[in-house]
Structure formats: structure tokens, C-alpha cells
Amino acid sequence: MQGPQSSHPGDELLRSLNEAQRQAVLHFEGPALVVAGAGSGKTRTVVHRVAYLIAKRGVFPSEILAVTFTNKAALEMRERLKRMVKGAGELWVSTFHSAALRILRVYGERVGLKPGFVVYDEDDQTALIKEVLKELGLAARPGPLKALLDRAKNRGEAPESLLPELPEYYAGLSRGKLLDVVKRYEEALRAQGALDFGDILLYALRLLKEDQEVLKRVRRRARFIHVDEYQDTNPVQYRFTRLLAGEEANLMAVGDPDQGIYSFRAADIKNILEFTRDFPGAKVYRLEENYRSTEAILRFANALIVNNALRLEKTLRPVKPGGEPVRLYRARDARDEARFVAEEILRLGPPFDRVAVLYRTNAQSRLLEQALASRGVPARVVGGVGFFERAEVKDLLAYARLSLNPLDGVSLKRVLNTPPRGIGPATVEKVEALAREKGLPLFEALRVAAEVLPRPAPLRHFLALMEELQELAFGPAEGFFRHLLEATDYPAYLREAYPEDYEDRLENVEELLRAAKEAEGLMEFLDKVALTARAEEPADPAGKVALMTLHNAKGLEFPVVFVVGVEEGLLPHRSSLSTLEGLEEERRLFYVGVTRAQERLYLSYAEEREVYGRTEATRPSRFLEEVEEGLYQEYDPYRTPTKAPPAHRPKPGAFKGGERVVHPRFGQGTVVAAMGDEVTVHFEGVGLKRLSLKYADLRPVG
């Protein structure tokens, strides 16, 4: 019996494909792995394969499941297939969670779910955690607790099994109290006939394991399975896929281990690396022709990623020959780096939405946002909020505004109990009632409340703090913020309130201190912030430079890409240096950034950068040192062209110690230590600097 026929002959589906894509599309039964490099047309391959199954293999659309990682990708795939084949409306194209939820809606009662069960979104989940904490009489922030629940469920483990991995106190709760919260949360979910997002796949998996009849029915509906971005599957998605595929295993997994960058979401790259072990006899198809980037960009990308051990062999081949060289800019510091990016974008000219600037950490966006705004270049922060909109930055700015203007009721409400100091909602309501009753500004009502309300100590403590800050508000901006951080112990609050991303938030606080250091006074600083924040506001992406982290750049492409901060401690990030897996994921992250570029790729690093309040000399990333010099070009639009600098550069081992040298920025100095490519030099009037011979432009004197 044949499925519905295509509105296009099957040969048409093959004609526009390259040979590797064609072979993957022609694959019929049994397991297959499509190793699809960046920009190699993997979505096109999957769409054509599904269409070919229907048009030429006689497979019914109602027997095909295609799993994507986002609802947007599922919608796009469905629309493309509707244009290509008849009956595409019967295809099952969805995310993992949508597929699992569809199964539970039909068969959920078999695993104890009530008909019409609800799925709690993130806000509902947070609200329920708050209710549980209130019921148990505990004070803790719901964010870290939600993160703990999500992490456990993504790994397919009971939340209590993660407790031994946690510190003695997590989110302000002991392990015993945490266990109480987790148990009560799960009881409350069940009592309300609800699942949270992490439950959906777990319940579907349990259903398919326990009920063979349901498993058979679902397998009939998913005879041919496609899973996109297989390198990003977590343990639960992996088990769900294997169970659904069964012995017949008409499974086509599509992905690229070189782009596996989501281990923090419990994704396991081993799922794709071990596919042929899981499915013996699986066919492997490699899509290596790249339609996105120029030859120059791909040569750099290939030379970079080949240094990873945890990968499947693959070399991207360019369809576009030649191209602009990959350019590397050596900046004096982070401010010079931001200036270079902004001025180079101006030099290239509009439309500015052709350009993306990618960075490893959110804190790096601040200088870039300011450099672009001050030159009138429109920009937007993608997949995140502008630097001055981040919660921890807004907290500290609210203290500053309130210190200069006690009438600022919005800022007062924000900081009154941040960090927590025992001034709860009930107290705030009493203070507001006093303000209304006596016609006072909120801050003045606070003074009255401290005299008349029971338990006045927290209010008096806050007022004393504000008096200190008001005295400092007319001095240096940096001194104000440093005193504020110490007086409130704000870093400890961040560590407790946000254990999942505490380091990122602390980096943002440090970046705020650096910004404050550049301003003369607090008022001037707040004015500058207001102007920069205003430049962040427009939401319309047309004509704006895209600023985003390397993680958020996955799946996107731009004619012009800048990757900034390519230095040790940032890329690779200092938190990832202790394991081979961590280091290799950082290299994959850099590779993802590089392969977003279609025509022009700029890389940059700073010779020194402020880290936790101290200016430190930096080293260029080891990833740059792994790539031979001929695959990129040093670029400095501010320097008068001279003979190519590498000609005079000393080779590793050229210095033993004691030699006199000269550096274009630091002047004359003496080599005090040398090891391989790295030397330590004492420069007169500057002090000790650790430099790489490959990049430092160091010359012997005389």
C-alpha cells in the first residue's frame, strides 16, 4: 500500500543536492548518523529526506516523526514540507517536549495523571516554590531551587540525589531543609494535577517503559524518526529516542559534535560520539561542503577544531573560494578593544544588521555598548538584557540614585530589602500607609516608621546605611560602590541568592566598578548610564549591530563577525580549565563563533584587562597559538604600515634572561625570566609584564 504521492517528482528532490546530501536523503531503513558541519545545509537535507520517504519510498506522512530543538525550527520545517509534498499536514514535527506531551495527553492516565492535567511554565513553577517556602516557614530565593529541580529532571534523576553534590548550604537552606522543600514541591504539583516542564519527558519515558501496548502504538506513529541537533540531547531525551527507535531503529540522527556547547543544560556530547556503538551497523554520512563561509574563514575553523580529541572526523570544504583574511587585532586594554570594534564597524558602514559582535561573558558587553552608542552606531543585545538592565547592576544603581535623591520611591522599594534585612512586604505596606496618611515621601515615612513600628531595628539599620551612602554620594563614584558592596556584603548575597550563575553576576558587578572608575562623580556616572541605557532600548532589529554571547550565536549567521576577548581566562574561560572536557567545550564555543561569519571575521584580545579590581597582563588564547600564523593576519588600522612584523620577532628560546629589550608600548626593559614562547620583562616605570613572543612585538635593544 502506497502513501500519498508528491506534487514534485522524486528526482526533483535530489537534483539540487550535493553528493553527500543526496546519499543521506536516499538512506531508507536502519539507523543513520548525519555528521553535518556548520553551514552544510543540514535542515535542507532532513526536509528533502522526509519528502523523499513520502514521494518515492511510499511511507505515509503519519509514520514520520521529526524532532527539532525549538518550536520555531519545527514550524519552519513543517511549512517547508507543506510546500514540497502532499499530506505534509499529517507529519509529526515537534520538539521533544511537544512530542512527549502529545503522548501524555492521550495515555497519561496510565501513569496516574489526571485528565486535563496542566503544565506549569517557569512563572507558575516559581510561584509554587514560593508557596512551598511560605508554608514551611523558610526564607530562600526560588531561582536556585528551580535550577536544582530542572537540572535533576534533565539528567533523569530524583532531585534529592543531587544533594550530595551541593555545598552544606544551598540558596540559604541546609540539605535537610532542601529535601523538605523538594518533597513538598512534588506533593503540591501532584495535588494540583500539574507537571512542570522537566516532568513531561520523565512521565512519557515512564509510560513507554511500563506500558508495552502504548509503546507499540507510538512506534507505529513514529516508524521513521529524525532527531536534529543530536549533540545537544540530554540523558532523558537520549533514553526517550532510543526507546522510541526500538529494534527496527529507523532513526536518523543529525548533528555536529564540534558544536556541542550546552553541557550546562545537561547535554551530553557522548550521545552523538557513541551513536555507532549504540546502533551497530549504522550508516554515517558526512556533510562537509560549507555554503556559508569563505575559504579563509573555514581554513582557520578547521585548524582550530582539529585540536579536539572528543570529535568525529570531518573537514569543512568551502563552496566560496578565497575571501578576506581573518584579521586579529591586539588591543592595549578592553577599552581600546571596544573602540576598535566600534570604529571598524563605522568604517565598514551600514547596514549595521550585517554585523555581530560575540563575547564569552555578559559582562564584556558594557564597553561595547558604550563605544557603539557614543559613535551613534545602533546596537541591540540579543538573547539577554543590556548591561545596565541586569538585576545586580540595577540593584547597585538604585542605591546610587536613592543616595542622591531620597525622593526616588522606585529605587527605595528596590533596595529596601535587597540584600534581605528583615523588611518584608507587611512592613513595606505599613510604611506606605504611613506615607499616605501623613502625606510624606516614602523615605521620610520610613524615618517615622522606625520610631513607631514594633521591631524597628531593620529599618534603623537601613536608614543608618543610607546616611553613610549619602555622605559618600558626592565623592568618587568607584569609592561609593566599593563601600556599598562592603557595607551590605552584596557579593555574599549574590553567592547565596544565585548559586547557579554567581560568578557571571559578580563579573557584572566588577564591570560596574570599572565603569564607575572612569567617571569623576556619582551624578556624572548616573547621567552617562542613563544615556547608554536609552541607546539600548529599541527592540526593532533592523539596521542594528547584534551583540551576544557565543552561546546565543549558535545557529545564526552574519556577513561580518567580531569575536572579542580571545585570551586566556575568557576564551577559554577560567572556570573551564580544570578538565579536558571543559577545555574542549571552550574550543567548540570558539569554533561556533568563527563559523557564524560569512564574509569577514575579526578576532581581538587585550594585552591587559581588569580582573576583580586589579589590572592584569593577559595572554592571547592558547586557541590562537594552535592555529598557524599564515591562517590569520595581524591587523592594526591605527599603526602606520611597516614591514611585516613577524620578520624581526624572536623565536621561542631566544632569551635566557638579562637581555635588554624594547616594546612599542612599555618602552625599554630587561628580561628577567623566559620559558618557551613566554618571557617576563621588567619595564622601567611600568613594572613586570608577562608577554608572549608570538604577539608582543618585542625587539632586542641595539
Side-chain angles (χ1 to χ4, degrees), residues 611-630:
V611 181
Y612 302 126
R614 296 192 314 276
T615 299
E616 292 185 358
T618 66
R619 276 193 58 201
S621 171
R622 68 190 71 192
F623 301 150
L624 286 174
E625 295 177 3
E626 292 167 355
V627 177
E628 59 188 89
E629 273 190 40

Side-chain angles (χ1 to χ4, degrees), residues 368-624:
L368 293 161
E369 290 174 68
Q370 289 187 329
L372 290 164
S374 67
R375 288 165 178 81
V377 178
R380 63 193 176 107
V381 176
V382 179
V385 291
F387 178 80
F388 293 109
E389 293 302 308
R390 292 168 194 157
E392 56 280 8
V393 174
K394 289 188 84 166
D395 286 347
L396 301 178
L397 292 176
Y399 271 107
R401 290 193 185 99
L402 185 62
S403 299
L404 287 164
N405 174 20
L407 295 175
D408 183 351
V410 172
S411 292
L412 175 57
K413 284 183 189 174
R414 183 176 187 102
V415 302
L416 193 52
N417 201 39
T418 304
R421 51 174 65 89
I423 303 174
T427 305
V428 174
E429 280 175 25
K430 287 174 187 171
V431 174
E432 286 177 325
L434 260 174
R436 286 192 300 271
E437 181 190 319
K438 297 186 180 291
L440 294 171
L442 203 57
F443 195 85
E444 289 307 311
L446 206 60
R447 293 185 194 279
V448 175
E451 300 303 322
V452 301
L453 291 185
R455 289 190 64 252
L459 294 176
R460 287 177 182 166
H461 176 76
F462 177 75
L463 288 166
L465 169 67
M466 289 313 303
E467 277 180 25
E468 287 175 30
L469 294 175
Q470 282 165 355
E471 285 179 22
L472 292 167
F474 297 96
E478 185 195 12
F480 172 88
F481 285 113
R482 287 205 181 277
H483 181 84
L484 168 61
L485 291 170
E486 193 177 322
T488 59
D489 204 6
Y490 193 80
Y493 157 69
L494 286 181
R495 186 183 290 109
E496 186 138 308
Y498 304 100
E500 295 298 312
D501 59 354
Y502 153 72
E503 284 192 351
D504 282 352
R505 291 175 186 272
L506 195 57
E507 280 180 18
N508 288 334
V509 170
E510 289 292 335
E511 188 61 33
L512 182 71
L513 289 173
R514 286 193 276 277
K517 196 175 183 177
E518 294 157 13
E520 285 183 20
L522 197 59
M523 182 69 79
E524 177 211 342
F525 176 64
L526 290 177
D527 288 347
K528 193 174 176 184
V529 167
L531 293 171
T532 303
R534 175 64 56 89
E536 291 168 357
E537 279 172 18
D540 176 17
K544 294 182 177 67
V545 172
L547 303 174
M548 68 187 93
T549 63
L550 288 158
H551 282 102
N552 283 328
K554 175 92 182 292
L556 304 177
E557 60 185 28
F558 298 87
V560 181
V561 168
F562 291 80
V563 182
V564 301
V566 187
E567 61 208 47
E568 290 295 300
L570 272 179
L571 190 63
H573 194 270
R574 62 185 70 86
S575 64
S576 304
L577 299 177
S578 58
T579 65
L580 172 69
E581 291 81 4
L583 187 62
E584 293 211 343
E585 182 153 333
E586 292 291 303
R587 193 180 284 111
R588 291 195 293 271
L589 197 51
F590 187 25
Y591 174 81
V592 164
V594 164
T595 54
R596 299 311 93 198
Q598 293 170 296
E599 297 162 16
R600 287 175 180 265
L601 173 64
Y602 294 88
L603 311 172
S604 63
Y605 69 91
E607 288 183 324
E608 58 183 36
R609 199 176 288 270
E610 280 198 40
V611 181
Y612 302 126
R614 296 192 314 276
T615 299
E616 292 185 358
T618 66
R619 276 193 58 201
S621 171
R622 68 190 71 192
F623 301 150
L624 286 174

Side-chain angles (χ1 to χ4, degrees), residues 118-397:
V118 296
V119 177
Y120 277 1
D121 63 16
E122 292 198 0
D123 289 343
D124 300 326
Q125 197 181 355
T126 301
L128 183 60
I129 293 170
K130 284 179 178 175
E131 276 182 33
V132 167
L133 288 168
K134 189 175 179 182
E135 184 186 315
L136 295 174
L138 298 171
R141 286 183 69 89
L145 299 173
K146 180 185 166 304
L148 174 69
L149 290 161
D150 291 347
R151 188 161 75 244
K153 291 179 182 187
N154 283 338
R155 282 160 57 165
E157 298 172 15
E160 51 268 30
S161 70
L162 296 191
L163 295 186
E165 297 177 19
L166 299 177
E168 198 63 42
Y169 280 82
Y170 177 86
L173 299 176
S174 67
R175 287 179 186 168
K177 298 289 184 197
L178 267 178
L179 191 56
D180 292 343
V181 171
V182 166
K183 282 181 176 171
R184 184 68 198 101
Y185 169 80
E186 294 297 332
E187 287 168 6
L189 267 182
R190 300 297 86 83
Q192 295 178 32
L195 301 182
D196 63 26
F197 207 62
D199 283 328
I200 298 171
L201 272 164
L202 288 174
Y203 268 82
L205 194 58
R206 187 178 132 204
L207 171 66
L208 296 177
K209 276 181 179 172
E210 293 176 3
D211 197 313
Q212 287 301 305
E213 184 192 344
V214 171
L215 180 59
K216 280 177 190 168
R217 287 184 192 177
V218 176
R219 279 178 176 167
R220 280 200 296 272
R221 183 65 185 85
R223 257 191 72 214
F224 289 85
I225 303 169
H226 304 74
V227 179
D228 196 10
E229 305 287 6
Y230 197 70
Q231 78 280 351
D232 293 334
T233 50
N234 65 36
V236 180
Q237 292 162 339
Y238 167 77
R239 294 205 286 272
F240 181 79
T241 302
R242 288 208 65 180
L243 193 57
L244 222 48
E247 293 301 313
E248 201 174 26
N250 292 326
L251 167 66
M252 179 173 275
V254 184
D256 181 5
D258 292 340
Q259 295 186 69
I261 58 172
Y262 293 124
S263 63
F264 65 94
R265 291 183 192 162
D268 190 347
I269 197 174
K270 288 210 236 27
N271 295 347
I272 192 167
L273 294 176
E274 296 175 359
F275 186 87
T276 52
R277 193 193 72 181
D278 291 339
F279 298 96
K283 292 276 178 27
V284 179
Y285 303 96
R286 287 180 168 79
L287 306 187
E288 298 177 304
E289 284 188 59
N290 176 286
Y291 294 87
R292 176 185 297 155
S293 307
T294 62
E295 181 181 6
I297 292 166
L298 291 184
R299 287 178 68 203
F300 184 96
N302 286 330
L304 168 70
I305 203 62
V306 77
N307 293 283
N308 266 13
L310 302 169
R311 67 188 298 261
L312 298 173
E313 194 55 44
K314 164 182 105 282
T315 302
L316 292 179
R317 295 191 302 273
V319 172
K320 300 177 185 174
E324 292 281 326
V326 175
R327 293 181 169 93
L328 173 68
Y329 178 69
R330 182 178 71 221
R332 290 191 306 277
D333 52 28
R335 177 164 295 285
D336 180 41
E337 180 179 54
R339 174 191 71 141
F340 161 71
V341 170
E343 291 180 355
E344 190 68 12
I345 289 171
L346 266 179
R347 192 184 69 76
L348 294 172
F352 294 121
D353 55 5
R354 298 171 69 251
V355 182
V357 185
L358 313 180
Y359 38 81
R360 177 63 180 84
T361 68
N362 281 308
Q364 288 168 266
S365 78
R366 195 267 303 180
L367 285 172
L368 293 161
E369 290 174 68
Q370 289 187 329
L372 290 164
S374 67
R375 288 165 178 81
V377 178
R380 63 193 176 107
V381 176
V382 179
V385 291
F387 178 80
F388 293 109
E389 293 302 308
R390 292 168 194 157
E392 56 280 8
V393 174
K394 289 188 84 166
D395 286 347
L396 301 178
L397 292 176

